[in-house]
Amino acid sequence: MSNILIVDDEKEIADLLEIYLTNENYKIFKYYSSMDVLNDLDKLTIDLAILDVMMPEMSGFQLCKKLRESGYTFPIIFATAKIEDIDKINGLSLGADDYVTKPFQPLELIARVKAQLRRYQKYNLLKNDKDEIDFRGIRINNDTHVFFFNENRIELTKTEFALLWELCLHKGNVVRSDDLFSKVWGEKYYEKDNNTIMVHIRHLREKMNDDGRKPKYIKTVYGVGYKIESE
Protein backbone atom coordinates (compact mmCIF):
# COMPACT_ATOMS: atom_id res chain seq x y z
CA MET A 1 0.00 0.00 0.00
CA SER A 2 1.38 3.40 -1.03
CA ASN A 3 0.84 6.51 1.09
CA ILE A 4 -0.48 9.56 -0.74
CA LEU A 5 -0.52 13.12 0.57
CA ILE A 6 -3.37 15.36 -0.61
CA VAL A 7 -3.16 19.11 0.04
CA ASP A 8 -6.03 21.28 -1.22
CA ASP A 9 -7.87 24.11 0.54
CA GLU A 10 -11.04 23.25 -1.41
CA LYS A 11 -12.52 20.68 0.95
CA GLU A 12 -14.85 19.16 -1.63
CA ILE A 13 -12.03 18.46 -4.06
CA ALA A 14 -9.72 17.08 -1.38
CA ASP A 15 -12.51 14.81 -0.15
CA LEU A 16 -13.25 13.65 -3.70
CA LEU A 17 -9.59 12.86 -4.32
CA GLU A 18 -9.55 10.88 -1.10
CA ILE A 19 -12.51 8.79 -2.26
CA TYR A 20 -10.99 8.06 -5.69
CA LEU A 21 -7.62 7.04 -4.30
CA THR A 22 -8.93 5.11 -1.30
CA ASN A 23 -10.93 3.01 -3.76
CA GLU A 24 -7.59 2.15 -5.38
CA ASN A 25 -6.31 0.90 -1.99
CA TYR A 26 -4.00 3.84 -1.30
CA LYS A 27 -3.58 5.20 2.22
CA ILE A 28 -4.42 8.90 2.27
CA PHE A 29 -3.09 11.78 4.36
CA LYS A 30 -5.38 14.75 3.67
CA TYR A 31 -4.72 18.40 4.52
CA TYR A 32 -6.47 21.66 3.67
CA SER A 33 -3.43 23.83 4.51
CA SER A 34 0.23 23.76 3.46
CA MET A 35 1.30 25.01 6.89
CA ASP A 36 -0.42 22.07 8.60
CA VAL A 37 1.51 19.69 6.36
CA LEU A 38 4.84 21.25 7.27
CA ASN A 39 4.01 20.93 10.96
CA ASP A 40 3.31 17.19 10.56
CA LEU A 41 5.94 16.18 8.01
CA ASP A 42 8.21 14.39 10.46
CA LYS A 43 5.27 12.15 11.44
CA LEU A 44 4.38 11.10 7.90
CA THR A 45 5.75 8.55 5.46
CA ILE A 46 4.79 9.70 1.96
CA ASP A 47 5.17 7.94 -1.40
CA LEU A 48 3.48 10.62 -3.55
CA ALA A 49 1.91 14.06 -3.05
CA ILE A 50 -0.94 15.80 -4.89
CA LEU A 51 -0.81 19.55 -4.28
CA ASP A 52 -3.18 22.34 -5.21
CA VAL A 53 -1.41 25.48 -6.44
CA MET A 54 -3.66 28.31 -5.29
CA MET A 55 -3.84 28.07 -1.51
CA PRO A 56 -3.82 30.76 1.20
CA GLU A 57 -0.78 31.28 3.46
CA MET A 58 1.47 29.12 1.27
CA SER A 59 0.90 28.10 -2.35
CA GLY A 60 1.48 24.63 -3.72
CA PHE A 61 4.52 26.00 -5.56
CA GLN A 62 6.03 27.19 -2.29
CA LEU A 63 5.20 23.94 -0.52
CA CYS A 64 6.78 21.94 -3.35
CA LYS A 65 9.94 24.04 -3.12
CA LYS A 66 10.16 23.50 0.65
CA LEU A 67 9.67 19.75 0.29
CA ARG A 68 12.46 19.47 -2.26
CA GLU A 69 14.78 21.72 -0.25
CA SER A 70 14.16 19.47 2.76
CA GLY A 71 15.33 16.42 0.80
CA TYR A 72 11.98 14.75 0.07
CA THR A 73 12.20 12.89 -3.24
CA PHE A 74 8.72 11.36 -3.61
CA PRO A 75 6.75 12.32 -6.77
CA ILE A 76 4.69 15.51 -6.66
CA ILE A 77 1.66 16.12 -8.89
CA PHE A 78 0.01 19.53 -9.10
CA ALA A 79 -3.81 19.50 -9.41
CA THR A 80 -5.04 23.00 -10.16
CA ALA A 81 -7.30 25.19 -12.27
CA LYS A 82 -4.26 27.10 -13.57
CA ILE A 83 -3.56 25.97 -17.14
CA GLU A 84 -1.05 28.45 -18.55
CA ASP A 85 2.14 26.90 -19.91
CA ILE A 86 4.23 29.23 -17.76
CA ASP A 87 2.53 27.82 -14.65
CA LYS A 88 3.36 24.28 -15.73
CA ILE A 89 6.96 25.29 -16.35
CA ASN A 90 7.18 26.98 -12.95
CA GLY A 91 5.78 23.94 -11.20
CA LEU A 92 8.07 21.48 -12.95
CA SER A 93 11.12 23.69 -12.42
CA LEU A 94 10.42 23.67 -8.66
CA GLY A 95 10.62 19.89 -8.59
CA ALA A 96 7.11 18.67 -9.46
CA ASP A 97 6.79 15.54 -11.58
CA ASP A 98 3.41 16.03 -13.24
CA TYR A 99 0.52 18.45 -13.63
CA VAL A 100 -3.24 17.89 -14.01
CA THR A 101 -5.84 20.60 -14.48
CA LYS A 102 -9.21 20.92 -12.81
CA PRO A 103 -11.77 19.65 -13.52
CA PHE A 104 -9.93 16.37 -14.05
CA GLN A 105 -11.14 12.94 -15.00
CA PRO A 106 -10.74 10.53 -12.09
CA LEU A 107 -9.35 7.77 -14.33
CA GLU A 108 -6.75 10.15 -15.77
CA LEU A 109 -5.60 11.24 -12.32
CA ILE A 110 -5.39 7.65 -11.09
CA ALA A 111 -3.40 6.67 -14.18
CA ARG A 112 -0.94 9.51 -13.57
CA VAL A 113 -0.59 8.55 -9.90
CA LYS A 114 0.12 4.94 -10.80
CA ALA A 115 2.63 5.96 -13.48
CA GLN A 116 4.55 8.21 -11.08
CA LEU A 117 4.59 5.55 -8.36
CA ARG A 118 5.87 2.93 -10.81
CA ARG A 119 8.67 5.24 -11.91
CA TYR A 120 9.57 6.15 -8.33
CA GLN A 121 9.60 2.52 -7.20
CA LYS A 122 11.71 1.52 -10.21
CA TYR A 123 14.14 4.34 -9.39
CA ASN A 124 14.41 3.11 -5.80
CA LEU A 125 15.04 -0.44 -6.99
CA LEU A 126 17.87 0.82 -9.17
CA LYS A 127 19.33 2.65 -6.17
CA ASN A 128 19.00 -0.49 -4.10
CA ASP A 129 21.13 -2.36 -6.62
CA LYS A 130 23.89 0.11 -5.86
CA ASP A 131 24.50 1.69 -2.48
CA GLU A 132 21.15 2.92 -1.16
CA ILE A 133 18.01 1.23 0.12
CA ASP A 134 14.84 3.28 0.59
CA PHE A 135 11.57 1.80 1.94
CA ARG A 136 9.03 2.31 4.75
CA GLY A 137 10.70 5.51 5.96
CA ILE A 138 14.11 3.80 6.06
CA ARG A 139 16.85 5.29 3.88
CA ILE A 140 20.27 3.74 4.36
CA ASN A 141 23.33 4.39 2.19
CA ASN A 142 26.19 1.91 2.29
CA ASP A 143 28.53 4.30 0.51
CA THR A 144 28.17 7.28 2.86
CA HIS A 145 27.18 5.16 5.90
CA VAL A 146 24.27 7.52 6.56
CA PHE A 147 20.94 6.29 7.93
CA PHE A 148 17.67 8.25 7.85
CA PHE A 149 14.52 7.04 9.58
CA ASN A 150 11.31 8.91 8.72
CA GLU A 151 13.52 11.70 7.31
CA ASN A 152 15.44 12.05 10.60
CA ARG A 153 19.13 11.23 10.55
CA ILE A 154 19.99 8.53 13.09
CA GLU A 155 23.57 7.99 14.23
CA LEU A 156 24.63 4.33 14.26
CA THR A 157 27.80 2.61 15.33
CA LYS A 158 29.77 0.78 12.65
CA THR A 159 28.41 -2.56 13.84
CA GLU A 160 24.81 -1.34 14.11
CA PHE A 161 25.03 0.03 10.58
CA ALA A 162 26.45 -3.20 9.16
CA LEU A 163 23.74 -5.21 10.91
CA LEU A 164 20.91 -2.97 9.67
CA TRP A 165 22.33 -2.91 6.13
CA GLU A 166 22.40 -6.70 6.00
CA LEU A 167 18.79 -6.92 7.18
CA CYS A 168 17.69 -4.26 4.67
CA LEU A 169 19.43 -6.08 1.82
CA HIS A 170 17.18 -9.05 2.56
CA LYS A 171 14.08 -7.09 3.62
CA GLY A 172 11.00 -9.29 3.96
CA ASN A 173 13.13 -12.42 4.38
CA VAL A 174 14.63 -14.08 7.45
CA VAL A 175 18.40 -13.74 7.83
CA ARG A 176 19.85 -16.58 9.90
CA SER A 177 21.81 -15.61 13.00
CA ASP A 178 24.89 -17.47 11.83
CA ASP A 179 24.79 -15.66 8.47
CA LEU A 180 24.39 -12.29 10.21
CA PHE A 181 27.32 -12.95 12.50
CA SER A 182 29.50 -14.11 9.63
CA LYS A 183 28.65 -11.07 7.49
CA VAL A 184 28.89 -8.42 10.23
CA TRP A 185 31.64 -9.76 12.49
CA GLY A 186 33.49 -11.86 9.91
CA GLU A 187 33.87 -14.75 12.30
CA LYS A 188 32.51 -18.25 12.77
CA TYR A 189 29.22 -18.27 14.67
CA TYR A 190 28.71 -20.03 18.00
CA GLU A 191 25.46 -20.25 19.94
CA LYS A 192 26.70 -17.78 22.59
CA ASP A 193 27.24 -15.18 19.86
CA ASN A 194 23.48 -14.79 19.53
CA ASN A 195 23.58 -12.70 22.71
CA THR A 196 25.90 -10.28 20.92
CA ILE A 197 23.46 -9.97 18.02
CA MET A 198 20.52 -9.54 20.40
CA VAL A 199 22.17 -6.59 22.14
CA HIS A 200 22.79 -4.78 18.85
CA ILE A 201 19.26 -5.54 17.61
CA ARG A 202 17.92 -4.04 20.84
CA HIS A 203 19.98 -0.88 20.30
CA LEU A 204 18.71 -0.56 16.73
CA ARG A 205 15.12 -0.92 17.89
CA GLU A 206 15.63 1.74 20.54
CA LYS A 207 17.05 4.19 18.00
CA MET A 208 14.11 3.48 15.65
CA ASN A 209 11.57 3.69 18.50
CA ASP A 210 10.56 0.13 17.60
CA ASP A 211 8.87 -1.62 20.52
CA GLY A 212 10.89 -4.76 21.27
CA ARG A 213 7.77 -6.55 22.55
CA LYS A 214 5.76 -5.88 19.39
CA PRO A 215 8.28 -4.64 16.80
CA LYS A 216 6.97 -3.19 13.55
CA TYR A 217 10.32 -3.23 11.78
CA ILE A 218 12.99 -5.64 13.05
CA LYS A 219 11.36 -8.91 14.06
CA THR A 220 12.87 -11.92 15.80
CA VAL A 221 12.23 -15.33 14.25
CA TYR A 222 12.97 -17.50 17.28
CA GLY A 223 15.48 -20.23 16.76
CA VAL A 224 16.34 -18.97 13.28
CA GLY A 225 17.33 -15.30 13.07
CA TYR A 226 15.89 -11.86 12.27
CA LYS A 227 14.09 -10.06 9.51
CA ILE A 228 13.08 -6.50 8.72
CA GLU A 229 9.56 -6.17 7.36
CA SER A 230 9.34 -4.76 3.84
CA GLU A 231 5.81 -3.37 4.21
Side-chain angles (χ1 to χ4, degrees):
M1 179 184 293
S2 296
N3 299 332
I4 297 182
L5 172 67
I6 297 171
V7 189
D8 197 317
D9 66 315
E10 295 183 71
K11 186 177 184 298
E12 295 79 6
I13 292 178
D15 293 348
L16 195 60
L17 283 171
E18 181 180 30
I19 292 171
Y20 292 151
L21 294 168
T22 300
N23 287 339
E24 294 294 320
N25 295 319
Y26 295 118
K27 183 176 180 180
I28 305 303
F29 297 99
K30 181 177 61 177
Y31 289 82
Y32 306 124
S33 161
S34 295
M35 299 303 296
D36 289 343
V37 175
L38 293 178
N39 291 334
D40 286 355
L41 262 181
D42 59 345
K43 307 172 188 174
L44 305 177
T45 300
I46 304 299
D47 298 302
L48 180 142
I50 301 173
L51 311 180
D52 183 32
V53 170
M54 300 300 292
M55 291 187 287
E57 293 184 323
M58 179 183 293
S59 71
F61 285 160
Q62 292 171 309
L63 177 57
C64 176
K65 184 178 180 182
K66 284 188 174 294
L67 289 171
R68 292 303 190 228
E69 288 175 346
S70 298
Y72 292 94
T73 59
F74 51 73
I76 294 176
I77 299 175
F78 282 125
T80 178
K82 296 175 72 67
I83 58 174
E84 296 295 331
D85 286 342
I86 188 64
D87 294 317
K88 294 182 180 181
I89 292 170
N90 285 339
L92 296 174
S93 66
L94 289 171
D97 298 272
D98 205 350
Y99 203 112
V100 294
T101 54
K102 301 175 183 177
F104 45 78
Q105 292 293 327
L107 291 179
E108 178 191 1
L109 177 66
I110 290 168
R112 288 175 182 263
V113 166
K114 289 182 177 180
Q116 289 298 329
L117 285 172
R118 281 196 302 270
R119 190 178 78 168
Y120 184 57
Q121 289 158 0
K122 182 179 180 181
Y123 169 69
N124 281 333
L125 284 174
L126 289 173
K127 288 197 303 181
N128 293 352
D129 287 341
K130 298 178 182 178
D131 295 309
E132 186 164 288
I133 298 174
D134 191 344
F135 70 106
R136 289 190 67 202
I138 292 171
R139 180 153 53 93
I140 183 169
N141 190 299
N142 197 40
D143 183 36
T144 61
H145 274 233
V146 171
F147 169 50
F148 283 89
F149 182 62
N150 290 334
E151 301 300 334
N152 295 312
R153 181 167 178 169
I154 307 295
E155 296 298 331
L156 301 179
T157 67
K158 182 179 178 180
T159 301
E160 289 168 354
F161 185 94
L163 189 58
L164 182 59
W165 175 258
E166 196 63 29
L167 291 171
C168 288
L169 275 178
H170 301 89
K171 60 183 184 294
N173 298 306
V174 180
V175 184
R176 296 176 59 88
S177 296
D178 52 349
D179 291 335
L180 270 178
F181 197 81
S182 175
K183 288 283 188 179
V184 175
W185 281 269
E187 300 174 8
K188 186 176 179 180
Y189 174 82
Y190 297 97
E191 191 63 34
K192 63 181 177 61
D193 292 322
N194 195 45
N195 291 330
T196 301
I197 299 176
M198 287 173 59
V199 169
H200 285 85
I201 291 291
R202 187 177 74 243
H203 291 166
L204 281 172
R205 285 173 175 157
E206 289 171 353
K207 291 183 177 183
M208 296 170 68
N209 293 317
D210 199 14
D211 188 346
R213 293 168 296 181
K214 294 182 178 180
K216 296 180 180 178
Y217 289 88
I218 303 175
K219 297 195 173 182
T220 303
V221 182
Y222 292 100
V224 183
Y226 301 87
K227 75 171 180 176
I228 191 162
E229 297 288 5
S230 59
E231 57 184 36

mmCIF file of all heavy atoms in Angstrom, residues 13-34:
data_model
loop_
_atom_site.group_PDB
_atom_site.id
_atom_site.type_symbol
_atom_site.label_atom_id
_atom_site.label_comp_id
_atom_site.label_asym_id
_atom_site.label_seq_id
_atom_site.Cartn_x
_atom_site.Cartn_y
_atom_site.Cartn_z
ATOM 1 N N ILE A 13 -12.952 19.102 -3.134
ATOM 2 C CA ILE A 13 -12.031 18.461 -4.063
ATOM 3 C C ILE A 13 -11.109 17.505 -3.319
ATOM 4 O O ILE A 13 -10.859 16.383 -3.760
ATOM 5 C CB ILE A 13 -11.221 19.512 -4.838
ATOM 6 C CG1 ILE A 13 -12.156 20.283 -5.778
ATOM 7 C CG2 ILE A 13 -10.078 18.861 -5.624
ATOM 8 C CD1 ILE A 13 -11.487 21.378 -6.553
ATOM 9 N N ALA A 14 -10.595 17.950 -2.174
ATOM 10 C CA ALA A 14 -9.724 17.079 -1.377
ATOM 11 C C ALA A 14 -10.460 15.810 -0.965
ATOM 12 O O ALA A 14 -9.910 14.699 -1.035
ATOM 13 C CB ALA A 14 -9.214 17.828 -0.153
ATOM 14 N N ASP A 15 -11.718 15.971 -0.558
ATOM 15 C CA ASP A 15 -12.513 14.806 -0.147
ATOM 16 C C ASP A 15 -12.770 13.874 -1.330
ATOM 17 O O ASP A 15 -12.758 12.645 -1.184
ATOM 18 C CB ASP A 15 -13.844 15.259 0.452
ATOM 19 C CG ASP A 15 -13.672 16.014 1.768
ATOM 20 O OD1 ASP A 15 -12.548 15.979 2.317
ATOM 21 O OD2 ASP A 15 -14.641 16.629 2.228
ATOM 22 N N LEU A 16 -13.004 14.449 -2.509
ATOM 23 C CA LEU A 16 -13.251 13.655 -3.698
ATOM 24 C C LEU A 16 -11.998 12.862 -4.097
ATOM 25 O O LEU A 16 -12.072 11.673 -4.424
ATOM 26 C CB LEU A 16 -13.679 14.565 -4.850
ATOM 27 C CG LEU A 16 -14.318 13.889 -6.067
ATOM 28 C CD1 LEU A 16 -15.591 13.139 -5.666
ATOM 29 C CD2 LEU A 16 -14.637 14.938 -7.139
ATOM 30 N N LEU A 17 -10.854 13.543 -4.039
ATOM 31 C CA LEU A 17 -9.590 12.859 -4.324
ATOM 32 C C LEU A 17 -9.382 11.696 -3.362
ATOM 33 O O LEU A 17 -8.924 10.611 -3.745
ATOM 34 C CB LEU A 17 -8.424 13.843 -4.212
ATOM 35 C CG LEU A 17 -8.215 14.809 -5.365
ATOM 36 C CD1 LEU A 17 -7.160 15.847 -4.992
ATOM 37 C CD2 LEU A 17 -7.773 14.068 -6.620
ATOM 38 N N GLU A 18 -9.705 11.935 -2.110
ATOM 39 C CA GLU A 18 -9.547 10.883 -1.104
ATOM 40 C C GLU A 18 -10.399 9.664 -1.451
ATOM 41 O O GLU A 18 -9.934 8.519 -1.343
ATOM 42 C CB GLU A 18 -9.939 11.421 0.267
ATOM 43 C CG GLU A 18 -9.778 10.398 1.383
ATOM 44 C CD GLU A 18 -10.178 10.954 2.733
ATOM 45 O OE1 GLU A 18 -11.063 11.833 2.782
ATOM 46 O OE2 GLU A 18 -9.613 10.498 3.745
ATOM 47 N N ILE A 19 -11.621 9.891 -1.904
ATOM 48 C CA ILE A 19 -12.514 8.789 -2.259
ATOM 49 C C ILE A 19 -11.952 7.997 -3.439
ATOM 50 O O ILE A 19 -11.871 6.760 -3.404
ATOM 51 C CB ILE A 19 -13.925 9.318 -2.593
ATOM 52 C CG1 ILE A 19 -14.599 9.872 -1.328
ATOM 53 C CG2 ILE A 19 -14.783 8.209 -3.207
ATOM 54 C CD1 ILE A 19 -15.900 10.605 -1.595
ATOM 55 N N TYR A 20 -11.533 8.728 -4.499
ATOM 56 C CA TYR A 20 -10.990 8.058 -5.690
ATOM 57 C C TYR A 20 -9.806 7.163 -5.324
ATOM 58 O O TYR A 20 -9.713 6.004 -5.742
ATOM 59 C CB TYR A 20 -10.510 9.088 -6.712
ATOM 60 C CG TYR A 20 -11.594 9.915 -7.360
ATOM 61 C CD1 TYR A 20 -11.320 11.204 -7.811
ATOM 62 C CD2 TYR A 20 -12.881 9.427 -7.534
ATOM 63 C CE1 TYR A 20 -12.299 11.984 -8.415
ATOM 64 C CE2 TYR A 20 -13.871 10.199 -8.124
ATOM 65 C CZ TYR A 20 -13.567 11.486 -8.566
ATOM 66 O OH TYR A 20 -14.524 12.253 -9.169
ATOM 67 N N LEU A 21 -8.887 7.738 -4.563
ATOM 68 C CA LEU A 21 -7.623 7.042 -4.303
ATOM 69 C C LEU A 21 -7.766 5.960 -3.229
ATOM 70 O O LEU A 21 -7.082 4.939 -3.286
ATOM 71 C CB LEU A 21 -6.557 8.055 -3.917
ATOM 72 C CG LEU A 21 -6.195 9.012 -5.069
ATOM 73 C CD1 LEU A 21 -5.366 10.181 -4.561
ATOM 74 C CD2 LEU A 21 -5.459 8.274 -6.173
ATOM 75 N N THR A 22 -8.660 6.165 -2.281
ATOM 76 C CA THR A 22 -8.933 5.114 -1.303
ATOM 77 C C THR A 22 -9.516 3.888 -1.986
ATOM 78 O O THR A 22 -9.208 2.747 -1.623
ATOM 79 C CB THR A 22 -9.894 5.623 -0.215
ATOM 80 O OG1 THR A 22 -9.298 6.739 0.471
ATOM 81 C CG2 THR A 22 -10.182 4.526 0.815
ATOM 82 N N ASN A 23 -10.349 4.124 -3.002
ATOM 83 C CA ASN A 23 -10.930 3.011 -3.762
ATOM 84 C C ASN A 23 -9.862 2.222 -4.515
ATOM 85 O O ASN A 23 -10.099 1.072 -4.910
ATOM 86 C CB ASN A 23 -11.982 3.523 -4.746
ATOM 87 C CG ASN A 23 -13.266 3.950 -4.058
ATOM 88 O OD1 ASN A 23 -13.541 3.532 -2.934
ATOM 89 N ND2 ASN A 23 -14.052 4.790 -4.718
ATOM 90 N N GLU A 24 -8.701 2.835 -4.722
ATOM 91 C CA GLU A 24 -7.588 2.148 -5.377
ATOM 92 C C GLU A 24 -6.627 1.536 -4.348
ATOM 93 O O GLU A 24 -5.520 1.129 -4.690
ATOM 94 C CB GLU A 24 -6.820 3.135 -6.267
ATOM 95 C CG GLU A 24 -7.629 3.659 -7.446
ATOM 96 C CD GLU A 24 -7.961 2.570 -8.454
ATOM 97 O OE1 GLU A 24 -7.094 1.715 -8.723
ATOM 98 O OE2 GLU A 24 -9.093 2.577 -8.983
ATOM 99 N N ASN A 25 -7.076 1.511 -3.091
ATOM 100 C CA ASN A 25 -6.308 0.902 -1.985
ATOM 101 C C ASN A 25 -5.056 1.680 -1.598
ATOM 102 O O ASN A 25 -4.089 1.099 -1.089
ATOM 103 C CB ASN A 25 -5.933 -0.554 -2.325
ATOM 104 C CG ASN A 25 -7.151 -1.443 -2.436
ATOM 105 O OD1 ASN A 25 -8.079 -1.334 -1.644
ATOM 106 N ND2 ASN A 25 -7.157 -2.314 -3.441
ATOM 107 N N TYR A 26 -5.074 3.005 -1.802
ATOM 108 C CA TYR A 26 -3.997 3.842 -1.303
ATOM 109 C C TYR A 26 -4.370 4.363 0.079
ATOM 110 O O TYR A 26 -5.549 4.586 0.381
ATOM 111 C CB TYR A 26 -3.750 5.034 -2.238
ATOM 112 C CG TYR A 26 -3.248 4.648 -3.604
ATOM 113 C CD1 TYR A 26 -3.982 4.947 -4.745
ATOM 114 C CD2 TYR A 26 -2.034 3.980 -3.752
ATOM 115 C CE1 TYR A 26 -3.526 4.588 -6.000
ATOM 116 C CE2 TYR A 26 -1.571 3.619 -5.007
ATOM 117 C CZ TYR A 26 -2.325 3.928 -6.129
ATOM 118 O OH TYR A 26 -1.865 3.555 -7.369
ATOM 119 N N LYS A 27 -3.363 4.566 0.904
ATOM 120 C CA LYS A 27 -3.583 5.202 2.216
ATOM 121 C C LYS A 27 -3.419 6.704 2.039
ATOM 122 O O LYS A 27 -2.437 7.157 1.458
ATOM 123 C CB LYS A 27 -2.582 4.681 3.245
ATOM 124 C CG LYS A 27 -2.803 5.258 4.643
ATOM 125 C CD LYS A 27 -1.846 4.648 5.651
ATOM 126 C CE LYS A 27 -2.062 5.219 7.043
ATOM 127 N NZ LYS A 27 -1.129 4.627 8.026
ATOM 128 N N ILE A 28 -4.375 7.464 2.537
ATOM 129 C CA ILE A 28 -4.422 8.903 2.266
ATOM 130 C C ILE A 28 -4.134 9.725 3.524
ATOM 131 O O ILE A 28 -4.669 9.447 4.599
ATOM 132 C CB ILE A 28 -5.813 9.310 1.718
ATOM 133 C CG1 ILE A 28 -6.169 8.464 0.491
ATOM 134 C CG2 ILE A 28 -5.842 10.795 1.377
ATOM 135 C CD1 ILE A 28 -5.173 8.540 -0.645
ATOM 136 N N PHE A 29 -3.284 10.739 3.351
ATOM 137 C CA PHE A 29 -3.090 11.776 4.361
ATOM 138 C C PHE A 29 -3.604 13.068 3.734
ATOM 139 O O PHE A 29 -3.031 13.563 2.760
ATOM 140 C CB PHE A 29 -1.609 11.905 4.737
ATOM 141 C CG PHE A 29 -1.037 10.679 5.372
ATOM 142 C CD1 PHE A 29 -0.293 9.777 4.622
ATOM 143 C CD2 PHE A 29 -1.252 10.407 6.712
ATOM 144 C CE1 PHE A 29 0.244 8.628 5.204
ATOM 145 C CE2 PHE A 29 -0.727 9.262 7.301
ATOM 146 C CZ PHE A 29 0.017 8.378 6.553
ATOM 147 N N LYS A 30 -4.685 13.620 4.290
ATOM 148 C CA LYS A 30 -5.379 14.746 3.665
ATOM 149 C C LYS A 30 -5.236 16.005 4.510
ATOM 150 O O LYS A 30 -5.459 15.988 5.718
ATOM 151 C CB LYS A 30 -6.860 14.403 3.491
ATOM 152 C CG LYS A 30 -7.691 15.471 2.823
ATOM 153 C CD LYS A 30 -9.137 14.994 2.645
ATOM 154 C CE LYS A 30 -9.794 14.687 3.981
ATOM 155 N NZ LYS A 30 -11.213 14.302 3.850
ATOM 156 N N TYR A 31 -4.872 17.104 3.842
ATOM 157 C CA TYR A 31 -4.722 18.395 4.517
ATOM 158 C C TYR A 31 -5.369 19.487 3.668
ATOM 159 O O TYR A 31 -5.364 19.420 2.438
ATOM 160 C CB TYR A 31 -3.242 18.734 4.726
ATOM 161 C CG TYR A 31 -2.554 17.870 5.765
ATOM 162 C CD1 TYR A 31 -2.082 16.605 5.440
ATOM 163 C CD2 TYR A 31 -2.385 18.323 7.071
ATOM 164 C CE1 TYR A 31 -1.464 15.795 6.390
ATOM 165 C CE2 TYR A 31 -1.763 17.533 8.024
ATOM 166 C CZ TYR A 31 -1.301 16.278 7.680
ATOM 167 O OH TYR A 31 -0.690 15.494 8.620
ATOM 168 N N TYR A 32 -5.881 20.505 4.357
ATOM 169 C CA TYR A 32 -6.466 21.657 3.674
ATOM 170 C C TYR A 32 -5.545 22.870 3.739
ATOM 171 O O TYR A 32 -5.892 23.935 3.258
ATOM 172 C CB TYR A 32 -7.820 22.010 4.309
ATOM 173 C CG TYR A 32 -8.799 20.852 4.364
ATOM 174 C CD1 TYR A 32 -9.356 20.446 5.573
ATOM 175 C CD2 TYR A 32 -9.146 20.158 3.206
ATOM 176 C CE1 TYR A 32 -10.250 19.383 5.628
ATOM 177 C CE2 TYR A 32 -10.042 19.098 3.248
ATOM 178 C CZ TYR A 32 -10.586 18.715 4.466
ATOM 179 O OH TYR A 32 -11.470 17.657 4.518
ATOM 180 N N SER A 33 -4.356 22.712 4.337
ATOM 181 C CA SER A 33 -3.427 23.832 4.515
ATOM 182 C C SER A 33 -1.988 23.350 4.373
ATOM 183 O O SER A 33 -1.613 22.324 4.953
ATOM 184 C CB SER A 33 -3.625 24.461 5.900
ATOM 185 O OG SER A 33 -2.509 25.232 6.279
ATOM 186 N N SER A 34 -1.188 24.096 3.621
ATOM 187 C CA SER A 34 0.234 23.758 3.464
ATOM 188 C C SER A 34 0.968 23.850 4.792
ATOM 189 O O SER A 34 1.868 23.041 5.078
ATOM 190 C CB SER A 34 0.886 24.710 2.451
ATOM 191 O OG SER A 34 0.348 24.535 1.166
#
